[in-house]
Amino acid sequence: LASQFDLSYDLHKVFFSVPAGELSRADPDFPLEAHGVLAVAELVGCTQTCLKWVAQYAKDRIQFGKPIGSYQAVKHTLANNLMMLDNARVASQYLAAAFDNAIACGWLEDIEASQEAMTALHVAKSYASDSARCVVEDSIQIHGSIAMSWELKVHRMLRRVIRLAAYAGQAQDHRFMLSRLLLSGSSRGISGLA
């Protein structure tokens, strides 16, 4: 059983202040697509963490008498990764605000707000999935072969990002649903993929 654990997740105890009976009741007005919001937020967090690791490594690793972060190829890669992180973070924040607004307005009652939330979900999930994977893969390239050792967590982060990218719909599924949503004006979620 222990071999099946994902070592990229830290285990924590969670305490609830709500009675167990209230936790088991599902809110029928709460959209099922909201779990995509959490996946996007975690993808952005993974991207940020991995970029922090690789930036520190680029400062610390000395090659030919100077840090590898001083070389143009590494600088440009890190700058591009920072832009991808910023774009994913903005998309994630807009997604959270759009879902918050749609739920406050009544998910099923306000079609325009729910349609905006679904559009934001499709944009944010597809972008966050692609950018997180790109940043982690670039991080592995900059770290070199040590990134695949158990000394560093980078390769475990890649597993985590791949799993999160598949969770709540692949990036290409979200791009397809976004095109359907924009062309048809319908408010169907990823579950509407047939």
Side-chain angles (χ1 to χ4, degrees), residues 6-45:
D6 180 357
L7 298 177
S8 65
Y9 279 106
D10 294 328
L11 298 178
H12 298 282
K13 289 183 179 179
V14 178
F15 299 97
F16 294 99
S17 60
V18 178
E22 289 184 34
L23 287 175
S24 63
R25 277 186 268 157
D27 184 355
D29 295 331
F30 193 75
L32 293 176
E33 289 87 353
H35 65 288
V37 178
L38 300 175
V40 169
E42 190 169 354
L43 280 165
V44 170

Side-chain angles (χ1 to χ4, degrees), residues 112-123:
E112 188 175 312
S114 61
Q115 199 170 26
E116 181 179 347
M118 289 309 301
T119 301
L121 173 65
H122 297 316
V123 169

Side-chain angles (χ1 to χ4, degrees), residues 5-127:
F5 284 116
D6 180 357
L7 298 177
S8 65
Y9 279 106
D10 294 328
L11 298 178
H12 298 282
K13 289 183 179 179
V14 178
F15 299 97
F16 294 99
S17 60
V18 178
E22 289 184 34
L23 287 175
S24 63
R25 277 186 268 157
D27 184 355
D29 295 331
F30 193 75
L32 293 176
E33 289 87 353
H35 65 288
V37 178
L38 300 175
V40 169
E42 190 169 354
L43 280 165
V44 170
C46 289
T47 306
Q48 182 174 343
T49 300
C50 201
L51 190 56
K52 182 179 79 171
W53 290 342
V54 74
Q56 188 61 48
Y57 182 79
K59 289 178 193 174
D60 296 343
R61 174 77 166 107
I62 305 296
Q63 190 67 35
F64 303 113
K66 51 187 190 173
I68 64 169
S70 67
Y71 296 109
Q72 188 175 18
V74 175
K75 281 190 216 177
H76 286 193
T77 301
L78 292 177
N80 288 338
N81 289 344
L82 181 61
M83 292 305 299
M84 284 190 274
L85 170 62
D86 284 343
N87 292 338
R89 183 181 293 126
V90 168
S92 173
Q93 290 169 345
Y94 182 77
L95 168 63
F99 257 82
D100 190 39
N101 180 50
I103 292 169
C105 293
W107 182 257
L108 299 175
E109 288 83 31
D110 190 345
I111 298 299
E112 188 175 312
S114 61
Q115 199 170 26
E116 181 179 347
M118 289 309 301
T119 301
L121 173 65
H122 297 316
V123 169
K125 181 64 169 72
S126 63
Y127 190 83

Side-chain angles (χ1 to χ4, degrees), residues 24 31 40 54 88 91 96 105-106 141 156 160 164 170 177:
S24 63
V40 169
V54 74
C105 293
Q141 288 293 317
R156 289 185 277 166
R160 187 175 186 171
L164 281 168
Q170 296 276 358
M177 292 303 295

Side-chain angles (χ1 to χ4, degrees), residues 6 13 26 66 104 111 116 130 133 150 157-158 172:
D6 180 357
K13 289 183 179 179
K66 51 187 190 173
I111 298 299
E116 181 179 347
D130 290 344
R133 185 160 183 166
W150 285 100
M157 187 66 80
L158 179 62
Q172 64 267 19

